[in-house]
Amino acid sequence: MIKNYFKIAFRNLWRHKGFSFINITGLAIGITACFFISMYVAFELSYDRFHTKADRIYRLATDIKTPSETINTEVTSWAFAPNLKADFPEIEAYARVNQSGVLVRKDNIKFQEDNAMFADSGFFKLFDFKFIRGNAATSLSKPLTAVMSKSTAKKYFGDADPVGKSVLMTGKATPVEITGVMEDMPENTGVKADILVSMSTLTQIFDKGIDDRWGNYGAVTYLLLKPGVDAKTLESKFPAFIKKRNGVEEGKRQMFATLLLEPLKDVYLYSKRSPQGSINNVYIFSIVAAFILVIASINFINLTTARSVERAKEVGIRKVVGALKGELAGQFLGESVLICLMAFVLTIILSVVLLPAFNQLSGKVISTGIFSNLLYIAILFITSVGIGLLAGLYPAAVLSSFKPVSVLKGRFSAGNKGNALRKTLVVAQFSISIALIIGTIIVYTQMNYMQTQDLGFSKDQTLVLDTNNDPGKESFVQAVKSMPGVKSVTLSAAIPGGGNAGAYSEIENSKGDLQVANLDLYFVDFDYVKQYGIKIIAGRPFQREFMQTDTAQAMLINEEAAKLFGYSSPQQAIGKRFKQWGREGKIVGVMKDFHYRSLQSKISPLTMRVELNALNLASIKVSSANLKSTLAGIESKWKVAMPDRPYSFFFLDEFFDKQYRSEQRFGKLFLNFAVLAIFISCLGLLGLASYSTYQRTREIGIRKVLGASTTGIVNMLSKDFIKLVGLSFLIATPVAWYFMQKWLQDFAYRINIQWWVPALAGSLALIIALATVSFQAVKAALSNPVKSLRSE
């Protein structure tokens, strides 16, 4: 009997190849898309959850309150961690980390390792990064020791064992012993480095005494709590700790710290202090995955129930000869599962072929292959069978319930209930599709807004090189300035989009008092403001004519800083006193606000000072003509002036735009999956339109004989679907507007959703639906009416 069921199923599928293709292809594409999104969501949720002690690891965050503002930061004072460990037995271990680029040399091999990190000796007690060579417990216990990742060790030592050997680090060529090799850190961790240098190297040699500086913030601190310790209870004890240890100093400086414990598992997606991932994006993609799966399942149900009338006589005859309702339901349910298993096979093929492209699109290696984890195959199989069973229940029930007397007397009509169900499902499909179109338009409009917004400074044709304060930097700058393809050169410690230092500052406010604030600070030279096109709206820029005072007693501030200190106009801030990092002087100019961070963040108060001994970044404005030869000339000048330092550069516009890379990837992923969802909806609509046309073949023939035009017939066949798309538009618009408005809240500078966005989305959906339906409608309208009248 089962063999017979399979025969009937395959014959039926082959007889209706078009419907079968739409069913299987639509379902396979839907499951593949849902599978990829699910892998992406699972990967985002997996960050730092692989550590065995992850439930007990917390990042120590700081809120610093000054008379001017409250600063929410992920870094802590260098002194906090060791003193917390000494005062609180609840803390089992700690690890401070500090990201820092270092120059690494071994013989003739040299690289500027930007992904290096200083780490405390307890690092491997907290984090489970797999060790290949050396002892994890002692590898970072001494000064001038380091651990390399497997790929980094291979870069310097080849296949030889590096443990016990040394490399030279920093511009001073300090020998550092390699005490261990670890596997490359996985993608799904927020604590990532290629080289770990012992923290004692920094605190005892490079910056001796930093452990005792309570007011010096720069370490990211992780605490491992003992089993059973309640984080909130421990957190409540921190204010008394700070008051006891540093209360007097805080009172003098008027900077009061509050310590907070952030669970390690929540840092990547939930922390607003150092945004990396986005839980909103995870929610959105989860909804999109569900939508795509629902659309694919709706197609299956729609097409199967629509075709049910064709099999009415088959059901009637089989019932007459003794087939039971349960047997018929089982057969049709089995056919449903069979189609889904075919879709499963196609899904496997699509997943294997498309996974590399998906990894590239997401910007992460989400998976190396679906066969690398048998759980993936099991999930796909269970999903396919589950869809087959759930989606096949209704068609099986409908088909098996036909009354043989009714269907054998003549043509069977599915009735209003079947039509109502199909219309409801079409509305659901297109509501989802229109919502996705609206979301896609908003995402791309926001991305375009961020990348075309006037930033308030010039970033085009600017080459940036990090000299790391090499002794040869001055001779390099002088040599480059004389090159014909170079327009100008400036040195600084910071560039827009590249981070900045926070500085304890005292600025004279509108009341004449020195007001404490922690302000962003750029160290620059005399050419920085001019080269970057930063506008001075009050006072003057730094000038070489005033070199003696401008290098020691002058400051520029931006408009936001002037507002912070109570000045109603920028001009009022000119000549006001300041104290900052051992310098005292007066404000000589106010800059127009410019976006020195991404548009996700509001413009903050900014100060600028000339500090010629602290400038490591060379910004070179080049001409677009003969760019290749200009770059080659700059490289040759570099090699002459700084032969021991590897040559590398980046263009500022590309570097600044990297801040939006995650949003760009989100937009591309969203667009691709939205297109897939719309495509699957169109497949279903094409099948329904084809079937609807087939059902009305004789009616079309009669109308044509009576003089109906092709246009009239096309309109007749299309108008019902147009009404459904219109209803979908009314449902989708408010839902999409609500969710995308919430998504936009993550951006400090954002678009307003205009009326034309839903209007455009609705128009696109209507055009897509009309194109899909009209294809079948026109085909039917142009057919020979004689053949149409013979169809029944």
Side-chain angles (χ1 to χ4, degrees):
M1 183 180 287
I2 294 175
K3 182 179 178 182
N4 186 52
Y5 282 170
F6 272 108
K7 264 188 189 178
I8 294 171
F10 278 113
R11 284 174 183 170
N12 188 51
L13 290 173
W14 186 252
R15 189 181 304 120
H16 302 281
K17 292 186 282 288
F19 285 100
S20 300
F21 173 79
I22 290 173
N23 249 347
I24 293 168
T25 304
L27 203 54
I29 292 173
I31 295 173
T32 303
C34 182
F35 175 58
F36 280 167
I37 296 175
S38 298
M39 281 201 301
Y40 176 83
V41 168
F43 186 82
E44 290 291 285
L45 292 171
S46 73
Y47 265 73
D48 287 314
R49 292 174 179 264
F50 59 87
H51 302 293
T52 55
K53 301 170 187 173
D55 290 333
R56 295 193 285 130
I57 300 173
Y58 292 81
R59 186 174 74 175
L60 190 66
T62 317
D63 288 344
I64 306 170
K65 185 174 178 57
T66 74
S68 303
E69 77 276 274
T70 298
I71 303 158
N72 309 117
T73 178
E74 75 277 12
V75 298
T76 67
S77 162
W78 292 93
F80 283 166
N83 285 284
L84 282 168
K85 176 68 172 69
D87 283 17
F88 294 101
E90 298 98 320
I91 298 173
E92 184 176 321
Y94 69 87
R96 293 168 300 175
V97 297
N98 177 253
Q99 204 85 29
S100 178
V102 293
L103 174 63
V104 181
R105 285 176 283 174
K106 183 186 177 293
D107 302 328
N108 294 324
I109 305 169
K110 55 186 176 183
F111 289 97
Q112 178 67 33
E113 298 286 356
D114 292 324
N115 196 25
M117 182 184 283
F118 290 99
D120 274 311
S121 57
F123 183 85
F124 290 106
K125 188 171 183 179
L126 275 71
F127 303 110
D128 297 331
F129 296 115
K130 187 178 177 182
F131 242 62
I132 302 172
R133 294 188 176 96
N135 187 333
T138 60
S139 58
L140 297 173
S141 59
K142 297 178 182 178
L144 300 177
T145 56
V147 174
M148 286 184 167
S149 68
K150 182 180 178 180
S151 58
T152 305
K154 189 174 182 63
K155 187 165 62 176
Y156 291 99
F157 297 95
D159 295 326
D161 184 357
V163 176
K165 297 181 174 65
S166 294
V167 293
L168 303 177
M169 286 192 184
T170 74
K172 296 181 180 179
T174 305
V176 175
E177 180 187 354
I178 305 303
T179 54
V181 179
M182 60 183 176
E183 286 284 2
D184 290 0
M185 290 184 176
E187 183 79 40
N188 57 336
T189 177
V191 187
K192 199 172 178 73
D194 296 323
I195 298 177
L196 293 170
V197 184
S198 62
M199 183 63 74
S200 54
T201 304
L202 178 66
T203 60
Q204 296 179 28
I205 297 174
F206 293 161
D207 199 349
K208 196 171 182 178
I210 196 172
D211 274 348
D212 299 322
R213 299 175 195 166
W214 288 85
N216 193 328
Y217 286 74
V220 177
T221 301
Y222 296 92
L223 302 178
L224 175 64
L225 306 188
K226 290 181 179 178
V229 173
D230 181 69
K232 288 296 179 186
T233 303
L234 178 60
E235 191 178 87
S236 68
K237 299 177 183 179
F238 289 160
F241 160 80
I242 292 180
K243 187 174 181 180
K244 172 187 168 185
R245 291 281 194 165
N246 197 45
V248 175
E249 184 65 24
E250 282 194 335
K252 289 179 181 177
R253 294 168 60 89
Q254 290 294 292
M255 295 183 71
F256 301 94
T258 301
L259 297 181
L260 305 165
L261 292 173
E262 295 182 315
L264 178 67
K265 290 181 177 181
D266 292 349
V267 168
Y268 176 74
L269 286 176
Y270 295 94
S271 178
K272 299 297 183 183
R273 297 166 189 273
S274 54
Q276 296 170 298
S278 168
I279 190 62
N280 284 338
N281 288 357
V282 169
Y283 290 148
I284 288 171
F285 277 127
S286 299
I287 293 169
V288 170
F291 279 175
I292 289 175
L293 202 57
V294 167
I295 287 173
S297 300
I298 285 173
N299 274 359
F300 184 83
I301 295 171
N302 255 346
L303 293 175
T304 308
T305 53
R307 281 188 48 240
S308 62
V309 294
E310 290 183 36
R311 303 189 68 180
K313 287 185 179 180
E314 175 195 339
V315 172
I317 292 170
R318 293 185 64 188
K319 278 196 169 186
V320 167
V321 297
L324 299 175
K325 183 176 179 180
E327 291 174 340
L328 290 169
Q331 179 194 335
F332 293 125
L333 198 60
E335 287 184 17
S336 170
V337 173
L338 180 63
I339 291 174
C340 289
L341 288 176
M342 291 179 177
F344 164 72
V345 174
L346 183 56
T347 297
I348 294 291
I349 296 169
L350 289 174
S351 298
V352 170
V353 172
L354 298 175
L355 185 58
F358 178 69
N359 282 334
Q360 186 175 6
L361 187 64
S362 65
K364 302 175 182 180
V365 181
I366 303 297
S367 174
T368 54
I370 66 167
F371 295 108
S372 63
N373 190 341
L374 291 178
L375 181 62
Y376 291 157
I377 307 299
I379 290 171
L380 284 176
F381 180 79
I382 292 169
T383 302
S384 301
V385 173
I387 290 174
L389 291 172
L390 292 173
L393 282 174
Y394 179 80
V398 170
L399 289 168
S400 62
S401 64
F402 289 164
K403 293 180 180 179
V405 175
S406 300
V407 298
L408 292 176
K409 279 185 177 179
R411 187 171 180 182
F412 179 82
S413 175
N416 292 329
K417 288 184 179 178
N419 287 333
L421 174 66
R422 287 192 290 278
K423 287 179 180 179
T424 301
L425 295 178
V426 168
V427 169
Q429 273 188 322
F430 268 86
S431 295
I432 293 169
S433 298
I434 292 170
L436 290 174
I437 294 172
I438 291 173
T440 302
I441 294 171
I442 291 171
V443 168
Y444 270 82
T445 306
Q446 175 65 20
M447 292 300 101
N448 183 65
Y449 171 80
M450 292 170 71
Q451 292 181 295
T452 58
Q453 182 79 348
D454 180 13
L455 300 173
F457 71 94
S458 172
K459 60 183 173 67
D460 298 327
Q461 296 299 121
T462 299
L463 196 71
V464 181
L465 305 96
D466 190 349
T467 68
N468 282 276
N469 280 318
D470 191 282
K473 72 175 180 181
E474 292 296 341
S475 59
F476 167 72
V477 169
Q478 294 306 317
V480 168
K481 278 183 176 179
S482 62
M483 290 178 59
V486 173
K487 296 180 178 180
S488 60
V489 183
T490 183
L491 285 169
S492 65
I495 56 170
N500 50 269
Y504 176 81
S505 312
E506 295 177 72
I507 309 285
E508 184 180 351
N509 60 26
S510 58
K511 297 177 182 178
D513 302 321
L514 285 175
Q515 181 176 324
V516 173
N518 194 73
L519 303 177
D520 290 340
L521 169 62
Y522 273 21
F523 286 141
V524 302
D525 67 6
F526 289 97
D527 300 311
Y528 189 89
V529 170
K530 181 180 179 182
Q531 179 169 311
Y532 274 102
I534 298 167
K535 296 178 182 177
I536 302 296
I537 56 175
R540 63 173 178 84
F542 299 123
Q543 295 175 338
R544 283 190 170 82
E545 303 93 276
F546 306 105
M547 179 174 286
Q548 188 172 353
T549 55
D550 277 7
T551 53
Q553 301 170 10
M555 173 185 281
L556 297 180
I557 63 173
N558 67 351
E559 291 175 280
E560 279 298 312
K563 292 174 187 174
L564 178 66
F565 296 106
Y567 298 111
S568 56
S569 71
Q571 191 63 44
Q572 292 175 355
I574 304 302
K576 302 303 180 182
R577 296 171 295 149
F578 77 85
K579 292 183 180 180
Q580 187 183 68
W581 276 7
R583 299 284 190 185
E584 295 186 30
K586 293 184 179 180
I587 296 169
V588 298
V590 177
M591 303 172 286
K592 185 175 179 60
D593 283 341
F594 65 96
H595 293 278
Y596 62 96
R597 296 174 179 167
S598 95
L599 270 73
Q600 287 175 301
S601 306
K602 289 186 177 180
I603 297 174
S604 299
L606 174 68
T607 60
M608 268 189 198
R609 288 200 352 243
V610 174
E611 197 76 35
L612 299 178
N613 294 324
L615 312 179
N616 59 298
L617 298 174
S619 300
I620 305 173
K621 194 88 167 177
V622 295
S623 170
S624 56
N626 301 315
L627 182 59
K628 190 174 181 180
S629 62
T630 301
L631 295 178
I634 292 171
E635 183 176 3
S636 66
K637 303 291 186 188
W638 177 281
K639 289 179 178 178
V640 170
M642 293 174 282
D644 293 329
R645 188 165 294 281
Y647 174 75
S648 65
F649 69 90
F650 57 85
F651 282 99
L652 181 64
D653 54 353
E654 295 174 358
F655 176 78
F656 195 87
D657 289 344
K658 280 182 181 178
Q659 298 177 103
Y660 310 123
R661 185 171 289 173
S662 62
E663 285 77 23
Q664 289 168 343
R665 283 197 290 261
F666 170 80
K668 287 178 181 178
L669 283 170
F670 196 94
L671 172 64
N672 279 271
F673 288 122
V675 169
L676 273 179
I678 294 162
F679 174 72
I680 296 169
S681 295
C682 289
L683 278 180
L685 195 61
L686 179 65
L688 279 179
S690 176
Y691 182 77
S692 177
T693 304
Y694 170 78
Q695 289 289 91
R696 302 176 74 171
T697 301
R698 193 172 186 185
E699 177 190 345
I700 292 168
I702 294 171
R703 286 178 179 273
K704 289 193 74 174
V705 168
L706 294 175
S709 66
T710 300
T711 304
I713 291 172
V714 170
N715 289 340
M716 176 193 73
L717 294 172
S718 302
K719 66 181 180 180
D720 287 341
F721 290 104
I722 293 172
K723 289 177 184 176
L724 297 179
V725 173
L727 180 58
S728 301
F729 172 77
L730 295 176
I731 294 170
T733 299
V735 175
W737 184 91
Y738 173 78
F739 282 105
M740 294 315 296
Q741 193 69 37
K742 286 182 72 71
W743 180 76
L744 287 170
Q745 298 307 309
D746 285 343
F747 300 90
Y749 299 91
R750 53 186 176 266
I751 61 168
N752 292 315
I753 302 177
Q754 303 293 328
W755 64 269
W756 60 265
V757 173
L760 177 60
S763 301
L764 287 172
L766 185 61
I767 290 168
I768 292 168
L770 277 174
T772 305
V773 173
S774 297
F775 173 76
Q776 288 295 335
V778 171
K779 184 179 175 183
L782 295 175
S783 64
N784 189 336
V786 176
K787 289 183 179 180
S788 300
L789 292 171
R790 286 176 178 174
S791 65
E792 299 184 43

